[in-house]
Amino acid sequence: MRQKYLLKLFTVAFMFMLPLGFMAQTIKGKITDKSGSALPFMNVLVKGTSIGTTTSDSGEFSLNVKSLPATLVVSSIGYKTKQINVTDTSFLNITIEEGDESLNEIVITGSRAPARSNTKSPLPIDIVSSKDLVSTGQTTFDKALQYKIPSFNTVQTPVNDATSLLDPYEIRNMGPSRTLILINGKRKNLSALLYTQTSPGRGETGSDISGIPTDAIKSVEVLRDGASAQYGSDAIAGVINIILKDSPNAGSATLRTGITSEGDGEMFGVSVNNGSTIGDDKGFINYTVDFSKTSLSNRPGTVDAAGEAADFGANIADVQEFLSRRPDAGNINGAPETAAAKFLINGSYKLSEQSNFYFNAAFVNKKVNSFANYRTPYWRTVTDFPYLADFFPGDNPNTAGGYDGYVPTFEGDLNDYNATVGFKSVINDWNVDASFTTGGNSQTYKVNNSHNRNFVYSPSTWVDANNNGTIDDGEVTEGSQLYRENSKKSFDPGGTSFSHNVGNIDVSKILSDNLSVAFGTEFRYETFEIIEGELGSYDGGGADSFAGNSPENSGQFTRYNFGGYASLNWNPTENLTLDGTIRSENYSDFGNAFVWKASGAYTINDKYTLRGSLSTGFRAPTLHQIYTQKAQYSFVPGQGIQVGGLVNNVSSQAGLLGIPKLKEETSTNFTLGLGGKVNRNLSFTVDYYSINVEDRIVLSTEITPPALPAFDGLSDLSFFVNALDTKTSGLDVVIGYNKIELGDGKLGFNLSGNYTIKNERDGEVKNPASVAATGQSVVNATQEALFFTSRPQTKWILGSTYDINKWGFSLNNTYFGKTTFKQQGLDANLRTEFTPKVVTDLGINFNATEKLTLALNVNNLFNVLPEWSFKAENAAGTAIINDPAAIKNQSNLITFNQRYSQMTYDGYHFSQLGTMFNLSLNYQF
């Protein structure tokens, strides 16, 4: 039935889109270098207009013009510009010579070289085309990068809550907040979400890159180097610059559908990308509309009865009876149900020969439905809460009133927007770029099928279900048909929002053949809001599963910063390029930061380039980290779910604890690399990196609160603190061997990898005096594992492509190296390790016509799943492993009695959903 449905869907879509083509005079051609190698990413523009396109991976292009003759301008950074007079529609073969231009770091530009990793730039940069992203078969941009950039990692969190809206990502194991995201070279806003779960990314926030529609992206540049001197805060690990499509006439419509091998996680999506000229060909607008829906995927484990009985003090017979009907204890965990609507435009208008107005804007709405842990009838019992039997009726005859537990839902509503308007001009040979950027992210939540166990009992008036009379608490007995008059099952816990407004002025000039200068300034105003929840969501402990924001923890918080930079590019000889940049910033809430960067590249000969950089960097504490304060539910090994507190650094509770105010992180970055284009087929880059971070901001581990009224009702508390100095180093490798003629087709290989040499704490933990005095630490073994070993120690991607006639084949093998965890509750003599695995992805494309392409992707072809095991730290650990009862208890502690047996409660290193089938139909306008 499913296959018939998909066939009918694509047939209807095909018939619908056939009339969408149009007739026009078309110029087609192919661009190559002097060796005959095809040049992708080349810009082809009709002179005097905004009509243009870029070449495909095969170097070919096609564009429509109103009339002939016309003049084409072919250009790309790194190549000499060439003009071609076109008088008819004959196929054009155009040869372009390499130029001496070097990459300008003020804005990372995206069309310099055909190799995915730039071999001649002073810095390590990966260039990923839109075709590369689509070829992964992944449904979101962040997951596509996961399978294209070895140093980039992101996975879904085991316990979703608010993190179901977007997953933490990072470059080089540095956390999501140390990678800066740019849209067309301009800073994108942060998400409103602060990750507080015990999983990778804990205590940090990042931009919502999962919401960017893949079909709107022309290419992506990943700068794998510290760039705070150029861009300011957050660029300690690197920069991801997302370049939007800019064609006015090369549009397409795409239908996508997919399903997992387990028969769940059904996905359906439709997107349209198209463009148009503006004002008699003086400008263009390119737009993308994308709608998608992904159903729930559920991967629960089989729950252990003995562990449950011990955790909840329950009768083992009651536990066994319940689990006999619900072996997974009713848990729902995997990938949540998600619906998304995405809108994006990008455009430009030529004001004069020297001036250009540009703009882009995006809006994303995402709705997510996920679930908390199931509240079993022996966990939330009618003995403790008599009204539950009527409030959550069930079908268990062994429990009074038939109560059989309940599962609270978590529903999230995310809105994300960003927009830039700017003006570029050449004034007296000075290049001037002035722009204004605004952006924001809001996330509000809803909890259903839950209750507030404390709020329900106060005041003490109950309503009799039979005669509507009222009685007092003392008359309430187990099994009574009673309910609270103002009891609720649905709660509005509030949420969070973040926004920024950014003004930029960038000025540059080529002073001579070997010297250029640039300088600029940036003003940024940020607002973070903690949105208050309704009374029942937070009063008396809050809604069961997810407490709301109380008035005293809510509010709006702002800051501004002003920064400026200056840079110099010098070519003292033909083979040597040197760059230097300094930057100073002033923040309204913590003061000044001054950073610098020096980089250079030496071309040994026409084939090899040696490059390196040395820089300092900084990251300002986010407003989220400074002001977030709340009570939250979390799993405590051996104790089930407990209420803990997060106190902020400017609160009265922080004063009682002696917690210092947050200050900026600082870093020192060093890179050294070698790039080479050995011949027309073979290219490579190898880069060593070292990143030392001082005063790294962390969300502390849960500590025991002091016996003070301010901390009543909390089992534990945590807070943010500059607690660590860290050292990270590693190697990035990219090797490409392409354009190999095989039969009537061309074969290509690409091997890329990241290997972490060192990722560890440098020196002692910087504990506040009040914490040290109690013998506790803000960073424990669990925290260190999340920071340093919870991402793969090494990750490699071996890809191959073969294009022949109308067919295209791709086969990618991604090797995920081991990750190591020290989960909360795990015996100190043990650790857990996730076994290295290879995930294989297969892609098949069929170009049915010039305009219609069918694509099938089978991700995780061999259904490889995460797998972990215990490892002993010493002889005592070996003894535990050899004791079946002891090791079972340890396993129960870190998986919530096997609810998360495949992943453990803290995380894993790649998706646990197994094989996924994705089918798409693309029609070119």
Side-chain angles (χ1 to χ4, degrees):
M1 292 296 292
R2 192 178 305 279
Q3 290 81 357
K4 290 182 179 179
Y5 164 74
L6 294 177
L7 180 61
K8 184 181 293 185
L9 172 68
F10 285 125
T11 301
V12 172
F14 176 65
M15 296 302 294
F16 171 75
M17 287 188 291
L18 277 177
L20 297 181
F22 58 88
M23 298 297 293
Q25 284 189 294
T26 303
I27 301 174
K28 294 183 179 182
K30 181 176 183 178
I31 300 176
T32 61
D33 60 18
K34 289 195 295 186
S35 68
S37 298
L39 296 178
F41 310 127
M42 300 295 293
N43 300 310
V44 184
L45 184 71
V46 179
K47 188 176 181 179
T49 75
S50 294
I51 299 173
T53 186
T54 56
T55 56
S56 67
D57 281 2
S58 62
E60 297 185 355
F61 68 91
S62 174
L63 54 81
N64 298 303
V65 296
K66 291 183 176 180
S67 62
L68 293 174
T71 301
L72 299 186
V73 180
V74 180
S75 64
S76 180
I77 295 178
Y79 293 88
K80 293 182 179 180
T81 299
K82 187 171 186 177
Q83 295 189 15
I84 300 97
N85 294 321
V86 182
T87 58
D88 56 45
T89 57
S90 301
F91 190 87
L92 301 174
N93 289 294
I94 303 170
T95 302
I96 299 295
E97 296 181 5
E98 291 190 10
D100 297 326
E101 297 89 342
S102 61
L103 191 69
N104 185 341
E105 252 193 287
I106 298 172
V107 175
I108 309 173
T109 53
S111 54
R112 181 173 190 274
R116 194 172 70 81
S117 184
N118 201 304
T119 61
K120 292 188 177 182
S121 72
L123 300 167
I125 300 173
D126 285 325
I127 300 175
V128 182
S129 70
S130 58
K131 181 180 178 181
D132 291 331
L133 296 172
V134 172
S135 70
T136 65
Q138 299 293 324
T139 56
T140 59
F141 171 55
D142 59 330
K143 297 303 183 288
L145 279 186
Q146 164 88 340
Y147 289 90
K148 279 297 176 184
I149 305 295
S151 59
F152 181 93
N153 287 289
T154 178
V155 291
Q156 290 172 327
T157 53
V159 184
N160 291 316
D161 282 351
T163 55
S164 60
L165 289 162
L166 61 150
D167 299 314
Y169 60 84
E170 57 192 277
I171 290 177
R172 292 176 166 174
N173 301 301
M174 293 300 296
S177 60
R178 295 174 193 85
T179 297
L180 177 63
I181 306 300
L182 305 176
I183 303 289
N184 278 359
K186 307 298 180 181
R187 177 183 287 263
K188 178 166 170 52
N189 57 281
L190 292 175
S191 161
L193 176 63
L194 178 72
Y195 300 108
T196 57
Q197 297 284 359
T198 306
S199 62
R202 172 180 163 88
E204 301 193 32
T205 190
S207 296
D208 183 11
I209 61 175
S210 67
I212 300 172
T214 304
D215 285 348
I217 298 173
K218 177 181 177 181
S219 61
V220 181
E221 298 151 339
V222 182
L223 170 61
R224 295 177 272 111
D225 192 27
S228 294
Q230 290 84 13
Y231 302 104
S233 179
D234 305 345
I236 286 178
V239 178
I240 297 177
N241 185 28
I242 299 162
I243 300 175
L244 304 177
K245 287 182 177 177
D246 53 10
S247 172
N249 51 21
S252 67
T254 305
L255 286 176
R256 300 182 181 92
T257 188
I259 194 169
T260 74
S261 59
E262 296 292 323
D264 58 8
E266 298 96 332
M267 179 272 293
F268 177 80
V270 58
S271 69
V272 174
N273 171 264
N274 204 1
S276 176
T277 57
I278 304 174
D280 196 24
D281 293 339
K282 286 188 176 182
F284 77 90
I285 184 170
N286 185 280
Y287 61 86
T288 304
V289 179
D290 187 302
F291 301 116
S292 63
K293 171 76 178 293
T294 303
S295 299
L296 176 77
S297 297
N298 189 22
R299 301 293 183 270
T302 301
V303 175
D304 180 65
E308 291 283 277
D311 273 1
F312 299 111
N315 185 298
I316 186 68
D318 292 339
V319 175
Q320 290 172 333
E321 191 281 329
F322 178 78
L323 294 179
S324 69
R325 293 179 291 107
R326 298 178 186 259
D328 55 16
N331 237 47
I332 303 173
N333 57 268
E337 179 185 47
T338 303
K342 307 172 183 180
F343 308 88
L344 190 144
I345 60 171
N346 181 41
S348 175
Y349 186 79
K350 189 174 183 179
L351 301 174
S352 69
E353 288 299 321
Q354 301 294 326
S355 302
N356 189 55
F357 172 75
Y358 62 89
F359 59 91
N360 62 74
F363 175 77
V364 176
N365 175 255
K366 204 186 306 184
K367 297 186 185 298
V368 174
N369 296 327
S370 61
F371 297 87
N373 292 293
Y374 192 99
R375 270 55 179 166
T376 63
Y378 48 82
W379 174 5
R380 298 284 190 250
T381 68
V382 292
T383 302
D384 295 327
F385 312 108
Y387 68 91
L388 288 177
D390 283 329
F391 206 43
F392 298 105
D395 57 4
N396 181 2
N398 297 328
T399 304
Y403 167 66
D404 206 34
Y406 60 97
V407 56
T409 70
F410 179 89
E411 300 164 25
D413 189 353
L414 177 148
N415 292 297
D416 188 277
Y417 69 92
N418 62 271
T420 294
V421 291
F423 171 81
K424 288 183 179 181
S425 185
V426 179
I427 304 173
N428 294 328
D429 295 327
W430 288 90
N431 300 297
V432 178
D433 182 355
S435 66
F436 171 77
T437 298
T438 186
N441 181 279
S442 67
Q443 301 182 27
T444 55
Y445 314 124
K446 196 172 189 67
V447 174
N448 279 309
N449 205 46
S450 185
H451 72 116
N452 185 328
R453 49 182 168 159
N454 296 313
F455 188 71
V456 164
Y457 279 106
S458 177
S460 59
T461 301
W462 291 74
V463 177
D464 190 307
N466 297 317
N467 57 27
N468 294 322
T470 61
I471 60 176
D472 295 328
D473 275 350
E475 300 176 66
V476 177
T477 59
E478 184 175 336
S480 296
Q481 300 298 305
L482 304 170
Y483 62 93
R484 255 306 304 281
E485 192 168 17
N486 63 347
S487 293
K488 296 191 67 172
K489 296 175 72 173
S490 178
F491 300 89
D492 293 314
T496 54
S497 70
F498 176 87
S499 64
H500 75 184
N501 293 307
V502 186
N504 291 98
I505 300 175
D506 298 301
V507 181
S508 64
K509 183 177 182 179
I510 299 174
L511 301 177
S512 66
D513 290 342
N514 61 356
L515 184 65
S516 62
V517 64
F519 56 89
T521 185
E522 177 179 282
F523 179 84
R524 189 163 77 252
Y525 186 84
E526 298 177 330
T527 301
F528 175 64
E529 182 179 7
I530 301 173
I531 303 169
E532 181 181 336
E534 63 172 309
L535 177 64
S537 72
Y538 61 80
D539 187 69
D544 191 34
S545 80
F546 191 87
N549 299 320
S550 63
E552 61 269 23
N553 292 338
S554 303
Q556 191 175 89
F557 314 97
T558 63
R559 76 171 173 203
Y560 67 85
N561 71 286
F562 183 79
Y565 73 91
S567 67
L568 197 67
N569 176 272
W570 182 38
N571 297 96
T573 68
E574 183 179 350
N575 293 336
L576 180 62
T577 298
L578 300 175
D579 292 282
T581 305
I582 58 173
R583 187 184 192 92
S584 179
E585 295 226 12
N586 178 267
Y587 281 76
S588 60
D589 53 356
F590 72 80
N592 299 317
F594 177 82
V595 292
W596 55 267
K597 181 171 183 176
S599 61
Y602 180 73
T603 303
I604 301 171
N605 52 41
D606 290 340
K607 294 182 177 180
Y608 303 105
T609 300
L610 183 68
R611 62 192 181 192
S613 71
L614 180 64
S615 64
T616 61
F618 78 102
R619 186 183 78 83
T622 64
L623 292 175
H624 317 54
Q625 294 174 323
I626 297 173
Y627 293 105
T628 298
Q629 179 159 306
K630 66 176 297 181
Q632 59 185 19
Y633 285 83
S634 60
F635 166 59
V636 178
Q639 302 177 46
I641 303 295
Q642 302 295 329
V643 180
L646 193 165
V647 300
N648 70 36
N649 295 72
V650 295
S651 64
S652 57
Q653 292 92 335
L656 292 172
L657 294 170
I659 302 172
K661 290 186 176 181
L662 293 177
K663 58 182 179 180
E664 76 276 18
E665 301 176 353
T666 59
S667 70
T668 302
N669 292 56
F670 171 70
T671 66
L672 181 65
L674 178 67
K677 188 174 182 180
V678 180
N679 53 48
R680 59 171 292 185
N681 302 112
L682 178 62
S683 63
F684 73 92
T685 60
V686 179
D687 293 280
Y688 167 82
Y689 62 89
S690 173
I691 309 170
N692 293 344
V693 181
E694 293 185 6
D695 297 319
R696 186 161 166 172
I697 300 169
V698 302
L699 175 57
S700 75
T701 189
E702 294 80 5
I703 67 170
T704 302
L708 296 172
F711 306 107
D712 285 350
L714 299 179
S715 64
D716 55 69
L717 60 86
S718 55
F719 48 84
F720 285 95
V721 62
N722 295 90
L724 292 178
D725 296 342
T726 64
K727 297 187 296 185
T728 304
S729 62
L731 287 174
D732 285 327
V733 178
V734 178
I735 303 172
Y737 191 64
N738 297 296
K739 306 162 191 168
I740 307 165
E741 294 185 2
L742 180 65
D744 293 331
K746 286 191 176 181
L747 181 67
F749 295 95
N750 188 280
L751 174 66
S752 56
N754 170 260
Y755 177 76
T756 302
I757 298 171
K758 182 183 295 183
N759 193 26
E760 62 189 20
R761 172 164 50 88
D762 184 13
E764 297 300 318
V765 176
K766 302 172 184 179
N767 285 303
S770 60
V771 175
T774 62
Q776 300 182 84
S777 177
V778 295
V779 176
N780 61 9
T782 296
Q783 296 284 83
E784 293 210 22
L786 293 179
F787 298 149
F788 305 129
T789 63
S790 62
R791 298 300 197 193
Q793 182 181 22
T794 187
K795 180 180 159 192
W796 292 83
I797 303 171
L798 175 59
S800 60
T801 59
Y802 184 60
D803 295 308
I804 180 169
N805 300 323
K806 293 185 176 183
W807 293 90
F809 302 90
S810 66
L811 187 68
N812 289 288
N813 293 281
T814 305
Y815 174 84
F816 293 90
K818 75 171 183 178
T819 64
T820 301
F821 284 86
K822 298 280 281 189
Q823 287 89 345
Q824 185 180 9
L826 184 67
D827 191 282
N829 300 297
L830 297 174
R831 69 179 185 274
T832 57
E833 285 187 5
F834 278 84
T835 306
K837 298 280 188 175
V838 175
V839 174
T840 302
D841 299 325
L842 173 66
I844 302 173
N845 288 358
F846 176 65
N847 299 312
T849 69
E850 280 190 2
K851 295 189 175 185
L852 182 65
T853 300
L854 297 173
L856 171 67
N857 288 86
V858 184
N859 294 332
N860 200 342
L861 180 64
F862 301 112
N863 200 34
V864 175
L865 299 176
E867 183 180 332
W868 61 271
S869 61
F870 287 109
K871 302 292 183 182
E873 300 283 11
N874 47 39
T878 301
I880 296 174
I881 291 175
N882 292 334
D883 184 337
I887 203 65
K888 180 182 179 182
N889 180 60
Q890 291 297 312
S891 182
N892 282 342
L893 285 171
I894 66 172
T895 62
F896 199 175
N897 299 321
Q898 309 306 317
R899 282 172 174 81
Y900 304 94
S901 55
Q902 187 183 118
M903 62 191 79
T904 83
Y905 197 77
D906 295 285
Y908 44 99
H909 54 339
F910 62 91
S911 173
Q912 84 283 16
L913 299 181
T915 302
M916 300 187 69
F917 301 92
N918 294 304
L919 186 65
S920 70
L921 178 154
N922 178 267
Y923 182 79
Q924 301 286 328
F925 299 149

